[in-house]
Amino acid sequence: ALGACDLGNITDKTVPDLRQYRKIRAAMDKLPGSMAGIHMTKFANNLFTRMSPIKPEIKFRYLRGGFEIVGDHPRAWEAKNLYDYYKDLVSEIKLDVAVDGDDNVGHEQPFGIYVNILHTTEIERESGGFGKYVQNQNSLMFAYNYGRPTTDYRDKFSDAVNQALGEHFEVMSITFQSPDTMKSRPTARSGWRVTPYAYVLLKPLGPQVDRIAPLKLDLDFLDTSGYVVIPIESPAVVVDATDKKGLQRPIADLKVTQTLDERQADDGKLIVEITATGHGLIPDLDEIVDLKRENFEIVNIDDQGVLPNSFDKDSDGIQIVSDRSW
């Protein structure tokens, strides 16, 4: 029912058959005489004692399936305490994806999405913050993970993004929050805060694209059986990629620098290097600079493309800083 006959072979990649749980319970209930109660009691007792070979990423799935079989059996009290702890974790932390700007994104230009962690103050305090989830711990000179194996969290999330979105989007870049400046901000909901996690630059692969698939982030917590991996998943986000160019992305604090290179002037060539920085995604050149110049012909424009490079650590809101050069 969980995806394999041996608990040690069940991973987050194995697919469970959720229909089997009620069939297992029904089969046990039909056992003759006192055998039904004896088997259910053994099952409830083993639910906790057999957890040692279970991988941390499937503990929650294992207990959820087990309690569909045993219900509120008193012999499953140890497992029930653990399961309640997992359910509290799931209810107090969520992954949120928000489009940077209007959902009319078009299909011939990139747009960005903010990936944020929504959480209660208690979960933030218990986890010690979320800075480690933007790190590749195995490439650091020293990394301590509080009794858990060191993990390349950054690469793990990048792989999950490419797997979830690669069919319908070109994933152009992922900009992670800096662990040194990663801090939560208050939200309108009492007792809840938001921690900016990453900014993903996407380009739809055609006008037929109409949604951003859910993204998943694995978080780990210590528990009485060692540690557990709790996957949090964002809801799908609807977008409109019908038009060639969607609505312009929001931009603020735009700064433009133009540098004239006259070294080829004797050959009738002038080169102008234009760089722009700002909060948000830098738009196309013709949207920020008047390209019409009397007595000059524009022969070629080399666009390096927009590059989100960091979160603004001084802003009260969540803003990405990007640059672009031509």
Side-chain angles (χ1 to χ4, degrees):
L2 290 169
C5 294
D6 184 346
L7 286 176
N9 290 329
I10 302 171
T11 70
D12 57 346
K13 300 292 190 300
T14 53
V15 180
D17 185 354
L18 304 181
R19 301 168 298 176
Q20 299 301 320
Y21 302 131
R22 64 174 64 94
K23 292 182 179 179
I24 294 171
R25 181 182 178 98
M28 294 174 73
D29 286 341
K30 290 179 181 178
L31 291 173
S34 62
M35 294 305 295
I38 293 174
H39 276 280
M40 191 64 77
T41 298
K42 287 185 176 182
F43 189 99
N45 186 64
N46 287 345
L47 199 56
F48 182 80
T49 59
R50 296 290 179 88
M51 287 192 68
S52 56
I54 300 175
K55 296 178 175 60
E57 60 268 24
I58 66 148
K59 286 182 178 179
F60 183 57
R61 183 206 300 181
Y62 165 84
L63 289 179
R64 182 174 56 193
F67 278 102
E68 286 198 34
I69 297 172
V70 302
D72 57 357
H73 198 288
R75 291 296 295 273
W77 65 271
E78 286 182 292
K80 184 68 164 58
N81 290 339
L82 200 56
Y83 185 48
D84 289 342
Y85 171 65
Y86 294 166
K87 289 194 294 183
D88 286 342
L89 291 176
V90 171
S91 66
E92 294 186 23
I93 190 164
K94 303 179 185 302
L95 195 65
D96 178 68
V97 169
V99 177
D100 182 13
D102 196 272
D103 59 8
N104 182 358
V105 298
H107 60 272
E108 289 190 351
Q109 65 180 13
F111 71 99
I113 57 174
Y114 288 101
V115 182
N116 302 318
I117 304 173
L118 297 176
H119 52 85
T120 62
T121 53
E122 291 80 7
I123 284 292
E124 182 179 20
R125 183 170 56 250
E126 181 175 334
S127 65
F130 305 100
K132 71 176 185 179
Y133 295 105
V134 295
Q135 296 178 332
N136 283 335
Q137 293 182 324
N138 292 321
S139 61
L140 298 176
M141 290 290 293
F142 174 78
Y144 178 66
N145 204 12
Y146 302 97
R148 285 151 279 186
T150 54
T151 303
D152 290 337
Y153 294 104
R154 188 185 183 113
D155 287 347
K156 193 174 180 180
F157 179 74
S158 297
D159 292 342
V161 169
N162 281 282
Q163 183 177 359
L165 304 183
E167 183 178 354
H168 300 294
F169 294 93
E170 177 187 354
V171 180
M172 304 180 70
S173 69
I174 302 176
T175 304
F176 289 91
Q177 176 71 278
S178 169
D180 299 328
T181 59
M182 196 171 183
K183 60 181 181 180
S184 64
R185 294 164 168 81
T187 67
R189 185 177 177 183
S190 177
W192 283 72
R193 298 181 68 85
V194 56
T195 299
Y197 178 67
Y199 187 89
V200 184
L201 188 66
L202 302 171
K203 185 177 181 182
L205 295 180
Q208 76 282 356
V209 176
D210 60 1
R211 75 182 194 120
I212 301 169
L215 301 182
K216 187 183 76 165
L217 175 64
D218 289 336
L219 305 178
D220 50 63
F221 298 88
L222 291 173
D223 64 15
T224 56
S225 64
Y227 76 99
V228 61
V229 175
I230 300 291
I232 58 173
E233 192 172 79
S234 66
V237 177
V238 176
V239 294
D240 182 3
T242 306
D243 300 335
K244 288 186 176 182
K245 293 186 69 173
L247 297 182
Q248 183 175 318
R249 302 297 97 189
I251 183 71
D253 302 322
L254 182 65
K255 297 178 181 178
V256 179
T257 303
Q258 302 183 61
T259 305
L260 179 63
D261 183 351
E262 300 179 288
R263 287 175 295 180
Q264 300 183 53
D266 290 343
D267 299 328
K269 294 180 182 179
L270 291 177
I271 298 174
V272 180
E273 180 178 330
I274 303 174
T275 59
T277 63
H279 292 98
L281 294 182
I282 308 298
D284 292 336
L285 184 60
D286 58 1
E287 296 180 19
I288 59 176
V289 173
D290 183 5
L291 297 176
K292 295 179 181 179
R293 289 292 182 268
E294 188 176 356
N295 300 324
F296 288 94
E297 176 191 2
I298 297 179
V299 178
N300 181 58
I301 298 178
D302 183 13
D303 185 357
Q304 300 299 312
V306 63
L307 178 64
N309 51 43
S310 65
F311 284 82
D312 184 5
K313 61 182 180 180
D314 298 322
S315 174
D316 292 334
I318 302 174
Q319 291 185 313
I320 196 72
V321 178
S322 70
D323 56 49
R324 192 170 182 174
S325 61
W326 301 264

